[in-house]
mmCIF file of all heavy atoms in Angstrom:
data_model
loop_
_atom_site.group_PDB
_atom_site.id
_atom_site.type_symbol
_atom_site.label_atom_id
_atom_site.label_comp_id
_atom_site.label_asym_id
_atom_site.label_seq_id
_atom_site.Cartn_x
_atom_site.Cartn_y
_atom_site.Cartn_z
ATOM 1 N N GLN K 287 -13.469 0.088 61.601
ATOM 2 C CA GLN K 287 -14.829 0.568 61.772
ATOM 3 C C GLN K 287 -15.484 0.724 60.431
ATOM 4 O O GLN K 287 -14.937 1.356 59.533
ATOM 5 C CB GLN K 287 -14.802 1.953 62.435
ATOM 6 C CG GLN K 287 -14.781 1.891 63.930
ATOM 7 C CD GLN K 287 -14.882 3.290 64.497
ATOM 8 O OE1 GLN K 287 -14.366 4.236 63.911
ATOM 9 N NE2 GLN K 287 -15.528 3.410 65.635
ATOM 10 N N LEU K 288 -16.683 0.119 60.334
ATOM 11 C CA LEU K 288 -17.449 0.312 59.110
ATOM 12 C C LEU K 288 -18.862 0.642 59.549
ATOM 13 O O LEU K 288 -19.568 -0.211 60.046
ATOM 14 C CB LEU K 288 -17.409 -0.960 58.268
ATOM 15 C CG LEU K 288 -18.178 -0.895 56.952
ATOM 16 C CD1 LEU K 288 -17.587 0.147 56.022
ATOM 17 C CD2 LEU K 288 -18.172 -2.262 56.280
ATOM 18 N N GLY K 289 -19.231 1.892 59.403
ATOM 19 C CA GLY K 289 -20.522 2.317 59.940
ATOM 20 C C GLY K 289 -20.512 2.140 61.458
ATOM 21 O O GLY K 289 -19.597 2.594 62.136
ATOM 22 N N ASP K 290 -21.519 1.394 61.932
ATOM 23 C CA ASP K 290 -21.617 1.181 63.370
ATOM 24 C C ASP K 290 -20.826 -0.032 63.815
ATOM 25 O O ASP K 290 -20.652 -0.260 65.010
ATOM 26 C CB ASP K 290 -23.092 0.967 63.767
ATOM 27 C CG ASP K 290 -23.929 2.158 63.366
ATOM 28 O OD1 ASP K 290 -23.332 3.272 63.267
ATOM 29 O OD2 ASP K 290 -25.135 1.992 63.108
ATOM 30 N N THR K 291 -20.396 -0.812 62.845
ATOM 31 C CA THR K 291 -19.727 -2.061 63.198
ATOM 32 C C THR K 291 -18.248 -1.811 63.454
ATOM 33 O O THR K 291 -17.597 -1.060 62.743
ATOM 34 C CB THR K 291 -19.865 -3.079 62.062
ATOM 35 O OG1 THR K 291 -21.180 -2.986 61.522
ATOM 36 C CG2 THR K 291 -19.572 -4.476 62.529
ATOM 37 N N GLN K 292 -17.757 -2.448 64.494
ATOM 38 C CA GLN K 292 -16.353 -2.294 64.828
ATOM 39 C C GLN K 292 -15.764 -3.675 65.054
ATOM 40 O O GLN K 292 -16.325 -4.478 65.790
ATOM 41 C CB GLN K 292 -16.208 -1.453 66.100
ATOM 42 C CG GLN K 292 -14.794 -1.052 66.383
ATOM 43 C CD GLN K 292 -14.735 0.222 67.236
ATOM 44 O OE1 GLN K 292 -15.744 0.672 67.768
ATOM 45 N NE2 GLN K 292 -13.558 0.793 67.364
ATOM 46 N N VAL K 293 -14.628 -3.956 64.329
ATOM 47 C CA VAL K 293 -14.031 -5.284 64.445
ATOM 48 C C VAL K 293 -12.581 -5.121 64.865
ATOM 49 O O VAL K 293 -11.821 -4.423 64.193
ATOM 50 C CB VAL K 293 -14.095 -6.031 63.088
ATOM 51 C CG1 VAL K 293 -13.464 -7.404 63.218
ATOM 52 C CG2 VAL K 293 -15.527 -6.134 62.599
ATOM 53 N N PRO K 294 -12.179 -5.723 65.953
ATOM 54 C CA PRO K 294 -10.783 -5.590 66.358
ATOM 55 C C PRO K 294 -9.850 -6.412 65.451
ATOM 56 O O PRO K 294 -10.217 -7.494 65.016
ATOM 57 C CB PRO K 294 -10.784 -6.137 67.796
ATOM 58 C CG PRO K 294 -11.992 -6.978 67.903
ATOM 59 C CD PRO K 294 -12.986 -6.512 66.899
ATOM 60 N N ILE K 295 -8.683 -5.885 65.165
ATOM 61 C CA ILE K 295 -7.703 -6.636 64.373
ATOM 62 C C ILE K 295 -6.362 -6.619 65.092
ATOM 63 O O ILE K 295 -6.092 -5.725 65.901
ATOM 64 C CB ILE K 295 -7.525 -6.050 62.957
ATOM 65 C CG1 ILE K 295 -7.203 -4.549 63.021
ATOM 66 C CG2 ILE K 295 -8.768 -6.291 62.117
ATOM 67 C CD1 ILE K 295 -6.797 -3.938 61.719
ATOM 68 N N VAL K 296 -5.511 -7.597 64.752
ATOM 69 C CA VAL K 296 -4.209 -7.721 65.407
ATOM 70 C C VAL K 296 -3.125 -7.745 64.341
ATOM 71 O O VAL K 296 -3.231 -8.475 63.373
ATOM 72 C CB VAL K 296 -4.126 -9.015 66.244
ATOM 73 C CG1 VAL K 296 -2.815 -9.053 67.030
ATOM 74 C CG2 VAL K 296 -5.322 -9.150 67.151
ATOM 75 N N GLY K 297 -2.119 -6.919 64.549
ATOM 76 C CA GLY K 297 -1.015 -6.933 63.585
ATOM 77 C C GLY K 297 -0.219 -5.653 63.686
ATOM 78 O O GLY K 297 -0.444 -4.802 64.556
ATOM 79 N N ASP K 298 0.702 -5.509 62.680
ATOM 80 C CA ASP K 298 1.601 -4.373 62.697
ATOM 81 C C ASP K 298 1.037 -3.295 61.785
ATOM 82 O O ASP K 298 0.995 -3.451 60.562
ATOM 83 C CB ASP K 298 2.976 -4.852 62.223
ATOM 84 C CG ASP K 298 3.909 -3.682 61.951
ATOM 85 O OD1 ASP K 298 3.713 -2.615 62.584
ATOM 86 O OD2 ASP K 298 4.813 -3.846 61.100
ATOM 87 N N TYR K 299 0.596 -2.178 62.369
ATOM 88 C CA TYR K 299 -0.026 -1.121 61.595
ATOM 89 C C TYR K 299 0.913 0.065 61.537
ATOM 90 O O TYR K 299 1.412 0.541 62.554
ATOM 91 C CB TYR K 299 -1.370 -0.726 62.231
ATOM 92 C CG TYR K 299 -2.094 0.354 61.463
ATOM 93 C CD1 TYR K 299 -2.555 0.113 60.154
ATOM 94 C CD2 TYR K 299 -2.330 1.617 62.015
ATOM 95 C CE1 TYR K 299 -3.214 1.107 59.446
ATOM 96 C CE2 TYR K 299 -2.998 2.607 61.306
ATOM 97 C CZ TYR K 299 -3.429 2.333 60.015
ATOM 98 O OH TYR K 299 -4.079 3.321 59.314
ATOM 99 N N ARG K 300 1.180 0.563 60.313
ATOM 100 C CA ARG K 300 2.167 1.629 60.151
ATOM 101 C C ARG K 300 1.531 2.955 59.773
ATOM 102 O O ARG K 300 2.191 3.871 59.326
ATOM 103 C CB ARG K 300 3.180 1.228 59.078
ATOM 104 C CG ARG K 300 3.950 -0.050 59.434
ATOM 105 C CD ARG K 300 4.856 -0.505 58.314
ATOM 106 N NE ARG K 300 4.114 -0.945 57.134
ATOM 107 C CZ ARG K 300 3.617 -2.173 56.991
ATOM 108 N NH1 ARG K 300 3.756 -3.082 57.957
ATOM 109 N NH2 ARG K 300 2.962 -2.505 55.895
ATOM 110 N N GLY K 301 0.198 3.020 59.925
ATOM 111 C CA GLY K 301 -0.466 4.275 59.571
ATOM 112 C C GLY K 301 -1.045 4.948 60.794
ATOM 113 O O GLY K 301 -0.641 4.676 61.925
ATOM 114 N N GLN K 302 -1.945 5.864 60.540
ATOM 115 C CA GLN K 302 -2.571 6.611 61.622
ATOM 116 C C GLN K 302 -4.044 6.248 61.696
ATOM 117 O O GLN K 302 -4.592 5.654 60.773
ATOM 118 C CB GLN K 302 -2.449 8.108 61.337
ATOM 119 C CG GLN K 302 -1.058 8.456 60.857
ATOM 120 C CD GLN K 302 -0.631 9.812 61.309
ATOM 121 O OE1 GLN K 302 -1.373 10.777 61.194
ATOM 122 N NE2 GLN K 302 0.579 9.899 61.839
ATOM 123 N N ALA K 303 -4.656 6.633 62.760
ATOM 124 C CA ALA K 303 -6.086 6.446 62.890
ATOM 125 C C ALA K 303 -6.775 7.278 61.813
ATOM 126 O O ALA K 303 -6.293 8.337 61.445
ATOM 127 C CB ALA K 303 -6.543 6.884 64.276
ATOM 128 N N GLY K 304 -7.889 6.770 61.316
ATOM 129 C CA GLY K 304 -8.618 7.504 60.282
ATOM 130 C C GLY K 304 -8.955 6.616 59.102
ATOM 131 O O GLY K 304 -8.950 5.394 59.203
ATOM 132 N N ALA K 305 -9.233 7.268 57.970
ATOM 133 C CA ALA K 305 -9.713 6.529 56.796
ATOM 134 C C ALA K 305 -8.585 5.739 56.144
ATOM 135 O O ALA K 305 -7.482 6.246 55.968
ATOM 136 C CB ALA K 305 -10.308 7.498 55.791
ATOM 137 N N VAL K 306 -8.865 4.489 55.793
ATOM 138 C CA VAL K 306 -7.961 3.677 54.991
ATOM 139 C C VAL K 306 -8.813 2.851 54.019
ATOM 140 O O VAL K 306 -10.038 2.825 54.124
ATOM 141 C CB VAL K 306 -7.103 2.690 55.820
ATOM 142 C CG1 VAL K 306 -6.073 3.405 56.661
ATOM 143 C CG2 VAL K 306 -7.980 1.771 56.631
ATOM 144 N N SER K 307 -8.121 2.216 53.092
ATOM 145 C CA SER K 307 -8.809 1.335 52.169
ATOM 146 C C SER K 307 -8.516 -0.083 52.612
ATOM 147 O O SER K 307 -7.358 -0.452 52.792
ATOM 148 C CB SER K 307 -8.277 1.592 50.764
ATOM 149 O OG SER K 307 -8.952 0.783 49.859
ATOM 150 N N LEU K 308 -9.573 -0.871 52.819
ATOM 151 C CA LEU K 308 -9.383 -2.238 53.272
ATOM 152 C C LEU K 308 -9.514 -3.167 52.078
ATOM 153 O O LEU K 308 -10.472 -3.070 51.304
ATOM 154 C CB LEU K 308 -10.419 -2.589 54.333
ATOM 155 C CG LEU K 308 -10.348 -4.006 54.923
ATOM 156 C CD1 LEU K 308 -10.771 -3.972 56.379
ATOM 157 C CD2 LEU K 308 -11.205 -4.994 54.159
ATOM 158 N N GLY K 309 -8.536 -4.036 51.897
ATOM 159 C CA GLY K 309 -8.616 -4.989 50.802
ATOM 160 C C GLY K 309 -8.819 -6.390 51.334
ATOM 161 O O GLY K 309 -8.179 -6.789 52.301
ATOM 162 N N ILE K 310 -9.710 -7.121 50.684
ATOM 163 C CA ILE K 310 -9.936 -8.510 51.077
ATOM 164 C C ILE K 310 -10.339 -9.300 49.839
ATOM 165 O O ILE K 310 -11.125 -8.834 49.023
ATOM 166 C CB ILE K 310 -11.011 -8.614 52.189
ATOM 167 C CG1 ILE K 310 -11.271 -10.077 52.601
ATOM 168 C CG2 ILE K 310 -12.343 -8.006 51.775
ATOM 169 C CD1 ILE K 310 -10.635 -10.434 53.905
#
Side-chain angles (χ1 to χ4, degrees):
Chain K
Q287 273 185 326
L288 180 63
D290 301 334
T291 320
Q292 190 155 11
V293 180
I295 53 171
V296 186
D298 169 27
Y299 181 65
R300 299 175 293 276
Q302 316 213 313
V306 291
S307 182
L308 180 147
I310 179 104

